[in-house]
Amino acid sequence: MDRVLLIDDDKELCALLTEYLAPEGLAVEPCHTGGQGLARALSGDYDAALLDVALPDTSGFDVLGTIRSRSALPVLMLTGRGDDVDRIVGLEMGADDYVPKPFVPRELLARLRAVLRRTRVHGTGGMAAGAGMGGPGCVGGVGPYRKRNLSFGGVTVDRSARTALRDGAPLPLTPVEYAILVLLLEAEGATVAREEISRGVLGREILPFDRSIDVHVSNLRKKLGPCDDGQPRVGTVRGTGYYFRVSPTESTFGGQDAAEPRLGTGHENVAG
């Protein structure tokens, strides 16, 4: 049974979620203050955490910041439905996803399951531990056609070790950032649609005005740094998605179209 830490001062909500999620194979352990929740989150005893933004003794963002500096524990933020700024801030600080209050329990369950599927495939033992839905065509899918190592432009992912390196140095990625990086490297320069990233990494359809993927990609881009020519390693195709810049000598596709965004794959109007 997966263990979920719930950090929320609403005791009635905690009781309801504990009862609702138990038959689904999720053991919820509630705590009602940020200090208590932080200590438990860093214990290594949990598979995921639900963290409310508003806590009686501290901000949920402060708790999240400390967790992220020391652990890759998947964290879903609980935010007010109209608090778009809170959602973006949480994602920028390394939250894996968010669930707006009030929420339908089924939605919360679906997002938790998506997080747990990722961690079961790639683990959460290090900051580069990550994602994947585990099937062919999904991030980190298994099969003889999946390369163990992916390496382009000085960035290397070792799926067996679940590590990501840039020029030989470890990259401190969150599970979601790791999953996005794997998906982009697998595409070898082709555009990966935002909708595909959301399904493959977050395990859900992208919602209108949902900036979750954009924020995660922005965080990943900052950590990857620029290419030798100063261009970002992750490029943007307006209104479509993202791609990883790959040189023609590295791509298995070969040819001039490997050096530049390939026409016919959504790169026609490129920004970033």
Side-chain angles (χ1 to χ4, degrees), residues 117 121 132-143 145-146 186 200:
R117 279 195 296 266
V121 171
M133 301 283 288
C138 296
V139 180
V142 295
Y145 59 93
R146 293 293 183 184
E186 284 182 335

Side-chain angles (χ1 to χ4, degrees), residues 105-272:
R106 275 197 313 272
E107 178 186 2
L108 176 68
L109 175 60
R111 297 200 184 191
L112 266 175
R113 281 177 169 166
V115 166
L116 292 169
R117 279 195 296 266
R118 292 198 302 269
T119 56
R120 272 194 291 270
V121 171
H122 289 282
T124 55
M127 288 303 292
M133 301 283 288
C138 296
V139 180
V142 295
Y145 59 93
R146 293 293 183 184
K147 299 177 182 178
R148 171 184 167 179
N149 294 334
L150 297 166
S151 185
F152 299 104
V155 175
T156 300
V157 165
D158 185 333
R159 286 197 179 97
S160 297
R162 297 187 286 271
T163 57
L165 306 174
R166 184 192 63 205
D167 298 326
L171 279 168
L173 304 181
T174 67
V176 171
E177 292 162 3
Y178 176 87
I180 293 174
L181 177 60
V182 170
L183 191 60
L184 295 178
L185 291 178
E186 284 182 335
E188 297 191 22
T191 302
V192 183
R194 293 172 70 250
E195 292 80 5
E196 182 180 348
I197 297 174
S198 186
R199 286 192 299 268
V201 174
L202 299 182
R204 60 178 172 84
E205 297 295 326
I206 200 165
L207 303 173
F209 309 109
D210 187 346
R211 291 191 56 201
S212 301
I213 293 300
D214 304 313
V215 175
H216 286 306
V217 170
S218 176
N219 292 340
L220 174 62
R221 183 183 281 134
K222 291 174 185 175
K223 293 179 181 180
L224 291 173
C227 301
D228 292 340
D229 61 2
Q231 292 292 320
R233 282 186 165 92
V234 177
T236 303
V237 180
R238 282 200 187 99
T240 302
Y242 300 94
Y243 63 95
F244 193 92
R245 297 184 188 275
V246 174
S247 72
T249 57
E250 293 178 311
S251 174
T252 57
F253 295 103
Q256 179 62 29
D257 60 350
E260 298 296 332
R262 294 198 292 275
L263 298 179
T265 56
H267 285 310
E268 283 80 0
N269 294 302
V270 175

Side-chain angles (χ1 to χ4, degrees), residues 36-123:
Q36 182 186 31
L38 178 58
R40 291 193 188 182
L42 296 177
S43 69
D45 294 334
Y46 301 93
D47 300 291
L50 295 169
L51 174 61
D52 191 20
V53 170
L55 296 169
D57 58 332
T58 187
S59 165
F61 296 130
D62 291 337
V63 176
L64 174 64
T66 304
I67 291 174
R68 269 296 159 263
S69 68
R70 298 170 60 183
S71 170
L73 176 73
V75 177
L76 279 73
M77 298 293 291
L78 302 178
T79 69
R81 184 165 295 277
D83 295 338
D84 292 336
V85 173
D86 283 353
R87 301 177 201 178
I88 293 173
V89 169
L91 293 169
E92 287 177 340
M93 293 182 65
D96 293 78
D97 206 350
Y98 63 85
V99 181
K101 290 183 176 181
F103 52 80
V104 177
R106 275 197 313 272
E107 178 186 2
L108 176 68
L109 175 60
R111 297 200 184 191
L112 266 175
R113 281 177 169 166
V115 166
L116 292 169
R117 279 195 296 266
R118 292 198 302 269
T119 56
R120 272 194 291 270
V121 171
H122 289 282

